[in-house]
Amino acid sequence: MDVLERIKDQVESNPVIIYMKGTPQMPMCGFSSRAAEALKSAGVEFAYVNVLMDQEVFENLPRFANWPTFPQIYINGELVGGCDITLELAERGELQKMMQEAAASKAEG
Amino acid sequence: MNMQEVIEQRLTETLDPVFVEVVDETHMHNVPSNAQSHFKLTVVSPEFEGKTLLQQHRLVNEVLATEIPKIHALAIHTYTPDEWFERAGQAPASPQCMGGSKPSS
């Protein structure tokens, strides 16, 4: 499968997914760490891809949604943004709601 | 001009900001202190009104399309003049780096 199709499949099959450096348990970047913590705090399950372990995704993700940096957070197949946006949404109390709604609509199928 | 000045000038030229601040945070990271690799920018502009956060950041990413690939990390904080007034002029602090090797935001 072409890498862009693989990414498309990942963001569409997971209600919430973060592309990050490292893992939520062992982040390798302060920005990835903070974004993953914000997702964890929401108490909704999410998927992750460690871009440091997948060279193809690392090189091609920036052109998938025309976003130049990591981490990248997708909810319902749509790019939400990077660390700063995710934290801002968490601060406004919107992140948890977005994640809960995405998880619920996925469960309904 | 150093990178901090370049970024500041690009934002000032294109976004007609009410407030712009670019901080070189390289010293917070595990690289030589003169590496000019980690920055945080705060920009307050009427251009952001009516735009989502994603659209606001996309605008900044476009303005800095030449600069972003040259640096390791860029924290972006965008506000409309009204939002900035409500926050009493305070942007959030940036995280410490942990190694990695591709621009982060």
Side-chain angles (χ1 to χ4, degrees), chain B residues 1-101:
Chain B
M1 248 190 323
N2 64 32
M3 183 57 85
Q4 184 253 332
E5 290 164 339
V6 171
I7 294 173
E8 199 168 291
Q9 189 182 42
R10 297 283 299 128
L11 295 170
T12 304
E13 282 171 357
T14 51
L15 296 176
D16 191 21
V18 175
F19 175 80
V20 57
E21 182 181 56
V22 181
V23 183
D24 184 342
E25 297 188 325
T26 305
H27 64 276
M28 289 163 59
H29 302 274
N30 190 21
V31 291
S33 60
N34 62 355
Q36 298 190 60
S37 58
H38 294 69
F39 293 88
K40 167 179 154 176
L41 69 84
T42 305
V43 58
V44 182
S45 166
E47 295 278 332
F48 297 142
E49 278 165 17
K51 291 189 170 70
T52 64
L53 280 171
L54 187 71
Q55 290 168 335
Q56 295 174 5
H57 282 231
R58 280 200 187 284
L59 192 54
V60 172
N61 286 338
E62 279 168 26
V63 168
L64 300 177
T66 313
E67 289 74 25
I68 287 175
K70 296 177 186 168
I71 62 181
H72 176 77
L74 179 64
I76 298 174
H77 302 288
T78 54
Y79 304 99
T80 63
D82 285 351
E83 287 169 344
W84 187 243
F85 181 74
E86 280 170 30
R87 294 187 68 97
Q90 287 290 322
S94 302
Q96 295 288 330
C97 197
M98 296 181 179
S101 58

Side-chain angles (χ1 to χ4, degrees), chain A residues 21 27-31 33-34 58-59 62 65-71 79-85 88-89 91-92, chain B residues 53-54 57-58 61 68 72-77 79 83 87 92-105:
Chain A
K21 292 181 184 172
M28 298 296 287
C29 157
F31 291 87
S33 173
R34 275 196 175 181
F58 184 79
E59 286 170 5
N66 185 31
W67 191 262
T69 53
F70 299 114
L79 176 66
V80 170
C83 169
D84 298 313
I85 291 181
E88 180 69 32
L89 290 172
E91 193 184 309
R92 294 182 190 178
Chain B
L53 280 171
L54 187 71
H57 282 231
R58 280 200 187 284
N61 286 338
I68 287 175
H72 176 77
L74 179 64
I76 298 174
H77 302 288
Y79 304 99
E83 287 169 344
R87 294 187 68 97
S94 302
Q96 295 288 330
C97 197
M98 296 181 179
S101 58
K102 185 103 181 178
S104 311
S105 79

